[in-house]
Amino acid sequence: MKKYNNIQSVLKIRELRKSFGDNHVLNGFSLDLYEGENLVIMGKSGSGKSVMIKCLVGLLFPDSGKIEIMGNDIADLKQVDMNILRMQIGFLFQGSALYDSMTVRENLEFPLRKHKEMYEKKDELVVETLESVGLLSAIDLMPEELSGGMKRRVALARALILKPKIIIYDEPTTGLDPITAKEIIQLMRAIQEKYNTSSLIITHDIDCARVISNRMILLIDGVNYAEGTFNELANSTDKKIKAFFK
Amino acid sequence: MAISLKISQNIKSFFLEIGELSFFAIRFFKEAFTKPFEFKELLRQCYNMGNRSILLVGVTGFILGLVFTLQSRPTLLEFGAVAWMPSMVSISIVREIGPVIIALICAGKISSGIGAELGSMRVTEQIDAMEVSGTNPFKYLVVTRVVAATLMLPLLIVFGDTIALIGSALIEYLKGEVSFLLYFNKVVKALKFSDVLPATAKSFFFGFAIGLVGSFKGYYCKKGTMGVGEASNSAVVYASMLLFIIDFIAVFVSDIFFEI
Ligand SMILES: Nc1ncnc2c1ncn2[C@@H]1O[C@H](COP(=O)(O)OP(=O)(O)OP(=O)(O)O)[C@@H](O)[C@H]1O
Ligand SMILES: [Mg+2]
């Protein structure tokens, strides 16, 4: 695996295409995620945002296009190297995806299993990470005993525990009440400052986008339709762009 | 026309499914014999399967023994052959009825359980989450469950057979005043190596089929809660059908080796 030296863009997508049968979801999508930034991707439901990030972490295979993560073209990586690379990426799933047969503690320990040095100090790490999302008291609960917001925070802790360089959030605030959503957003900012991660954030939530984004990309019709800061896009005169900011 | 089209589609999808199941089995063998091995999870699965099925298997076995003995008693009495009861019951239970009935019960319990569990993990993206965190979900979830079922089924069947024989001995004790010691003496005398070996061998295959079909259905579960129900339901149906096919082949093969 190549070491990433002096490459500013930690994540690079070029001309990504993916179809399911006749359903052409992505038609040449490109993006760059730079070190330390919060990049927000917005797009309508069903526009292929989840498909795009699943291609990123190798859960789906694109039909064509190039994906580079920290200088590694993921199409060239062997499974072993891909798994090493995956440890540098935190992934927050749309529905939290906590392992429901395991306690919160075991959920957090799970990503550490393949990481020898970190596994040895797993107890400290679990406590530290849970503390940072404010849920230490829930350490021995089962996921079914948690509320939606708590689940999201535990899932966030699980995505963070390996101290990843990149975090991918799939709709971190969807399905939460505005107050809990705000808490999650605060948490995301705190994490970003503490660990200096680069984040790719997918959201419908315009408030979330305003607070957190350094830069935004609108995914429309399977391509990166528009790109800019929140204010630039919010003041755009293009009809399709305006529709997002109503 | 429309009906024949539908039937031919159904047949086609049936064979497609068999093909996919075969690929799944091949993948199982590939991943089962490469490192890393998930021993801890395997033990946990073995414990869970045994623990969850043992009561069911025990009760079923006991009733099986009772009923079987009660039903055959009048006929044997008529021919004055009631002294043959232990040999007859033990041979039929150990060779055929015990393994098949208990495997069917386990198909209902274990196969559908695996189908529902993996199915809901698929639907709620837990399997994807495992993959992303660098753990091979096929190894961690599927290989452990299939191996656990393959190891546990023979144990459950031996246990169920034993309970069935105890049930049968109880009837003989109550109705024919045959002591337990005498009953089991006769059982041990009646059972030959050629009765026990094929039965044990096929129960490993039963376990494998139960684990494999359940995992296959769950692992490739369609999205939505409907998908989970369907996965667990069709796991039972396919597993039960496969059990009879395996049984048929096993009897056929053992017939060649140990001529009856
Ligand atoms: N595994 C799959 N098989 C077939 N089609 C799929 C699959 N995954 C996604 N799709 C299709 O791809 C399209 C995009 O789905 P995707 O989940 O990426 O949407 P999304 O932008 O994340 O929407 P949402 O905001 O609702 O999560 C949808 O039309 C969906 O039906
Ligand atoms: Mg989505």
Side-chain angles (χ1 to χ4, degrees), chain B residues 41-51 147-149 151-152:
Chain B
E41 180 64 12
L42 174 65
L43 282 183
R44 208 171 68 92
Q45 287 305 328
C46 286
Y47 173 78
N48 274 348
M49 274 178 204
N51 195 20
V147 174
L151 296 178
M152 289 315 284

Side-chain angles (χ1 to χ4, degrees), chain A residues 14 40 60 69 79 93 98-99 160 185 187 199 216 219:
Chain A
R14 289 291 175 270
V40 167
L60 284 174
I69 300 177
Q79 190 64 39
F93 280 85
L98 296 179
Y99 307 125
L160 282 176
I185 295 170
L187 203 55
S199 321
M216 291 177 66
L219 170 58

Side-chain angles (χ1 to χ4, degrees), chain A residues 20 23 25 43-52 54 60 94 170-171 202 204 219, chain B residues 223:
Chain A
F20 299 98
N23 183 4
V25 181
K44 277 194 296 199
S45 190
S47 58
K49 304 177 301 287
S50 298
V51 168
M52 187 265 292
K54 279 181 182 163
L60 284 174
Q94 201 165 343
D170 195 354
E171 311 202 2
I202 288 184
H204 292 296
L219 170 58
Chain B
K223 295 271 157 157

Side-chain angles (χ1 to χ4, degrees), chain A residues 54 57 59 83 86 91 93-95 97-102 110-111 113-114 158, chain B residues 36 38 40 44 117 120-121 124-126 128-135 140 223:
Chain A
K54 279 181 182 163
V57 287
L59 287 174
N83 280 342
R86 277 169 170 165
F91 199 114
F93 280 85
Q94 201 165 343
L98 296 179
Y99 307 125
D100 45 29
S101 61
M102 304 180 196
F110 197 87
R113 306 167 66 238
K114 298 285 159 187
R158 190 179 66 184
Chain B
E38 306 279 359
K40 227 170 124 186
R44 208 171 68 92
E117 193 183 2
S120 68
M121 289 187 78
T124 56
E125 298 185 313
Q126 293 175 47
D128 289 342
M130 268 183 194
E131 183 132 23
V132 172
S133 67
T135 292
Y140 188 83
K223 295 271 157 157

Side-chain angles (χ1 to χ4, degrees), chain A residues 144-160:
Chain A
E144 65 203 21
E145 297 170 280
L146 307 176
S147 71
M150 289 161 89
K151 273 188 195 151
R152 205 62 63 87
R153 280 196 267 172
V154 174
L156 192 52
R158 190 179 66 184
L160 282 176

Side-chain angles (χ1 to χ4, degrees), chain B residues 194-207:
Chain B
S194 62
D195 298 318
V196 179
L197 183 76
T200 314
K202 80 179 169 191
S203 51
F204 280 102
F205 287 96
F206 286 169

